[in-house]
Amino acid sequence: MELAFVIEKFALVIVIFMISLGVAAYSTLAERKIAAFLQGRVGPHRAGWGGMFQPLADGAKMFFKEEIIPTQSNQFLFIAGPSLALLTALIGSAVIPWGQSLTFGDTVVQLQVADINVGILYIFGVVSLGVYGIMIGGWASNNKFSLMGAIRAASQNISYEIAMGLSIIALLMVTQSLSLKEIAAQQSGFINWNVWAQPLGFLIFIICAFAECNRTPFDLPESENELVGGYHTEYSGMKLGGFLFAEYINMFISSAVMATLYFGGYNFPFMNDLGLPQNIITLIGVLFLFAKIFFFIFFFMWVRWTVPRFRYDQLMNLGWKVLIPLGIANIVLTGIWIIVKDTYFK
Amino acid sequence: MESLSNRKKVIEQKPMTLAERMYLPAIAKGLAITFRHMFKKKETIFYPEQERPISENWRGLHSLKRDENGKERCTACGLCALACPAEAITMIAAERKKGEEHLYREEKYAAVYEVNMLRCIFCGLCEEACPKEAIYLDGPFLEADYLRKDFIFGKDKLVEAPLKS
């Protein structure tokens, strides 16, 4: 392995890491702003122009707060919980293709950290690891509310992972590939986006993504009016910040995954008819990918401030009795559609 | 049974249709409503710079009034303290000395007059009780402070500024 390759990947990792953190930090501001706008308020606007420096102020506050570790807690796991949540949230971005390749002279730089041929599987693994952070943190707090929140998070994530997996299987039947790079490349232009082939699958996927990110209407693990603060009841300072940050990074990554799987990733309409050089197309593609990601993040927040929280039995009903049968039906329908297409529309 | 007032309405509970059971149309409707709210006029009043207009009969902080010659009206009769349901007002009366006629209107005046603003409920009964029209609740809001003792307002904060001649 050459040094240049290592440096290239390392630089890409650093850039994506910084972008993830930056997007997560500014998502907190966006959340407060959007909540305010939807409710007829203006939101934070004192720190900097339109509240530009509010995330910095919040972050500084988090760092300077007293770190309280309950004496009855398991101290190692108490610290490991938020760290694990942050770690698993961040490593999901490794397989997402952020754009096509950039060419400098005769070096070609792929805008993807790792093109592994089981990209979706990797994402799934990371997502299901994500619940361990919450689980460990909630258990180590030695608080019944934390434990309740953690148990809810675990059962909710496990339930919705099944439906999510089923929606992905239908998608894989269409794309014939598990590699995210391959899937993104297949959807060039506008008409090839997977959402047109898999509308039901996308619906199931987005609902499950809401549940996996613990966002409203599925934010039962931290439902304030029943569980004080849910799994992070006992946390303070930057360890609480770690949990909250992990939630926003998860939102960013799942938006990126949704954009890549269903909305064409970096592809945009008429990208091959513009006659621009490849590097320019790539950069515009990156911008388009981020536009799609920001739209999904906005959608997450928009739904949060519109739909009230589900009751626990409703959540489980929806997951097990509605989404899983729908996911299976979607697989069957997709299979029939593929056979019909192959025999009659060749 | 026949309803007497004729206002009773029997509401029929129909089973939900498929569209209603799917929730998604309702959620889409809700999203449209919240989206419309994004572009409505914001209700926020930027407080320190902007203040909400207060009504004519607004009751704010107390002020002890002076008469047209700049003399304090209060005679320390104690009716306000008696009327006060929250027991917020205390005072110590004193006799006017020679040479103080320009300060106090009558022979007796309040040497100390204190209102505990944490006890006060701003009901305005002191205002009504006062026979000399000496106390009015025409001030601004009560501002925050750090110590309880700073909420006991003495004459230095309550008495109106002297007339400028």
Side-chain angles (χ1 to χ4, degrees):
Chain A
M1 200 179 289
E2 311 127 67
L3 187 66
F5 180 75
V6 174
I7 291 173
E8 174 199 316
K9 289 297 179 197
F10 192 71
L12 198 59
V13 168
I14 296 287
V15 168
I16 291 171
F17 178 69
M18 297 313 278
I19 289 176
S20 301
L21 289 184
V23 169
Y26 275 87
S27 295
T28 61
L29 175 65
E31 175 112 86
R32 293 171 68 181
K33 276 287 190 191
I34 288 168
F37 288 158
L38 296 181
Q39 296 168 352
R41 302 183 282 118
V42 289
H45 66 108
R46 299 271 161 168
W49 180 82
M52 280 311 282
F53 300 124
Q54 189 67 40
L56 303 179
D58 287 344
K61 186 199 78 172
M62 286 284 192
F63 273 112
F64 284 115
K65 279 203 146 184
E66 186 186 357
E67 297 272 350
I68 298 167
I69 299 179
T71 46
Q72 296 299 308
S73 66
N74 183 323
Q75 305 212 345
F76 174 71
L77 292 182
F78 191 76
I79 297 169
S83 322
L84 200 62
L86 256 182
L87 179 75
T88 50
L90 280 166
I91 57 178
S93 58
V95 292
I96 290 166
W98 299 98
Q100 289 165 311
S101 53
L102 288 171
T103 318
F104 303 108
D106 44 329
T107 51
V108 179
V109 179
Q110 299 291 342
L111 293 183
Q112 184 184 20
V113 176
D115 175 29
I116 49 178
N117 57 5
V118 287
I120 294 181
L121 214 58
Y122 171 84
I123 294 262
F124 256 74
V126 169
V127 165
S128 43
L129 275 179
V131 76
Y132 282 96
I134 292 174
M135 196 67 198
I136 288 172
W139 181 80
S141 303
N142 200 7
N143 175 324
K144 57 187 149 200
F145 292 116
S146 302
L147 186 62
M148 283 289 281
I151 290 171
R152 281 186 179 187
S155 61
Q156 173 182 327
N157 281 26
I158 290 166
S159 312
Y160 278 78
E161 244 158 49
I162 303 168
M164 195 182 227
L166 291 174
S167 71
I168 290 288
I169 288 174
L171 180 76
L172 296 182
M173 289 162 71
V174 177
T175 60
Q176 307 276 319
S177 168
L178 277 164
S179 156
L180 285 170
K181 185 186 171 77
E182 181 83 25
I183 291 173
Q186 282 174 5
Q187 305 177 63
S188 77
F190 183 67
I191 200 75
N192 291 331
W193 288 8
N194 283 331
V195 68
W196 312 128
Q198 286 288 322
L200 184 60
F202 172 67
L203 187 69
I204 297 170
F205 190 89
I206 196 168
I207 292 172
C208 293
F210 273 90
E212 295 281 318
C213 292
N214 297 330
R215 295 285 301 181
T216 332
F218 307 111
D219 63 341
L220 284 112
E222 44 185 305
S223 53
E224 295 87 357
N225 46 5
E226 316 159 18
L227 294 182
V228 190
Y231 59 86
H232 53 57
T233 304
E234 294 286 352
Y235 281 90
S236 65
M238 206 52 215
K239 289 201 285 298
L240 172 67
F243 270 132
L244 300 184
F245 235 69
E247 187 186 320
Y248 284 102
I249 296 170
N250 272 332
M251 208 160 81
F252 172 59
I253 300 300
S254 62
S255 297
V257 171
M258 272 191 284
T260 310
L261 289 182
Y262 289 97
F263 279 81
Y266 48 75
N267 294 296
F268 55 95
F270 313 115
M271 62 188 295
N272 298 324
D273 309 332
L274 289 172
L276 292 169
Q278 182 59 35
N279 281 358
I280 306 282
I281 294 270
T282 302
L283 290 178
I284 298 175
V286 173
L287 288 184
F288 263 84
L289 176 61
F290 271 90
K292 290 167 190 172
I293 291 172
F294 290 148
F295 171 75
F296 278 115
I297 291 180
F298 169 73
F299 186 72
F300 267 93
M301 293 172 181
W302 184 14
V303 169
R304 170 163 184 186
W305 298 104
T306 304
V307 184
R309 185 182 300 132
F310 274 73
R311 219 168 50 213
Y312 197 70
D313 61 317
Q314 292 172 329
L315 173 90
M316 285 296 154
N317 267 338
L318 182 67
W320 289 96
K321 294 191 193 161
V322 179
L323 289 181
I324 290 177
L326 263 184
I328 295 170
N330 189 33
I331 292 174
V332 174
L333 287 175
T334 309
I336 294 171
W337 166 242
I338 288 173
I339 289 183
V340 166
K341 201 172 71 171
D342 283 357
T343 40
Y344 296 105
F345 299 100
K346 266 286 169 185
Chain B
M1 210 172 86
E2 186 68 26
S3 163
L4 288 177
S5 65
N6 228 1
R7 279 180 303 198
K8 192 168 89 179
K9 269 187 204 155
V10 179
I11 293 169
E12 217 182 317
Q13 285 227 328
K14 288 180 215 141
M16 285 197 283
T17 59
L18 181 68
E20 282 170 339
R21 266 188 292 142
M22 267 167 54
Y23 296 124
L24 290 172
I27 287 176
K29 210 194 276 177
L31 287 174
I33 289 172
T34 46
F35 194 73
R36 241 177 291 134
H37 272 267
M38 274 211 334
F39 306 104
K40 286 196 173 160
K41 201 175 150 284
K42 310 280 178 257
E43 305 285 345
T44 306
I45 293 169
F46 297 90
Y47 168 61
E49 293 94 41
Q50 243 176 30
E51 281 189 26
R52 187 189 291 274
I54 56 179
S55 71
E56 282 283 296
N57 55 356
W58 158 262
R59 295 193 293 267
L61 292 178
H62 314 62
S63 67
L64 289 173
K65 298 289 173 194
R66 294 173 187 276
D67 69 359
E68 57 277 9
N69 300 319
K71 303 172 183 175
E72 281 179 27
R73 285 168 171 270
C74 179
T75 64
C77 63
L79 283 177
C80 49
L82 204 64
C84 182
E87 310 243 332
I89 303 177
T90 54
M91 67 187 74
I92 295 170
E95 206 174 331
R96 186 177 68 183
K97 303 258 165 45
K98 254 206 153 48
E100 287 179 340
E101 285 87 356
H102 65 289
L103 289 175
Y104 311 110
R105 195 166 65 167
E106 317 216 2
E107 289 84 28
K108 193 167 149 239
Y109 70 97
V112 178
Y113 191 104
E114 285 179 346
V115 182
N116 187 338
M117 291 301 174
L118 291 179
R119 293 194 70 105
C120 178
I121 57 170
F122 299 95
C123 61
L125 287 183
C126 47
E127 195 175 75
E128 282 176 34
C130 186
K132 299 286 180 189
E133 299 189 340
I135 188 163
Y136 281 96
L137 271 69
D138 55 358
F141 302 98
L142 174 63
E143 278 175 13
D145 213 329
Y146 291 98
L147 297 171
R148 279 167 186 268
K149 69 175 175 59
D150 293 333
F151 284 103
I152 298 171
F153 281 26
K155 276 184 85 173
D156 53 327
K157 288 183 186 165
L158 291 174
V159 180
E160 265 190 334
L163 291 183
K164 290 205 179 78
S165 50

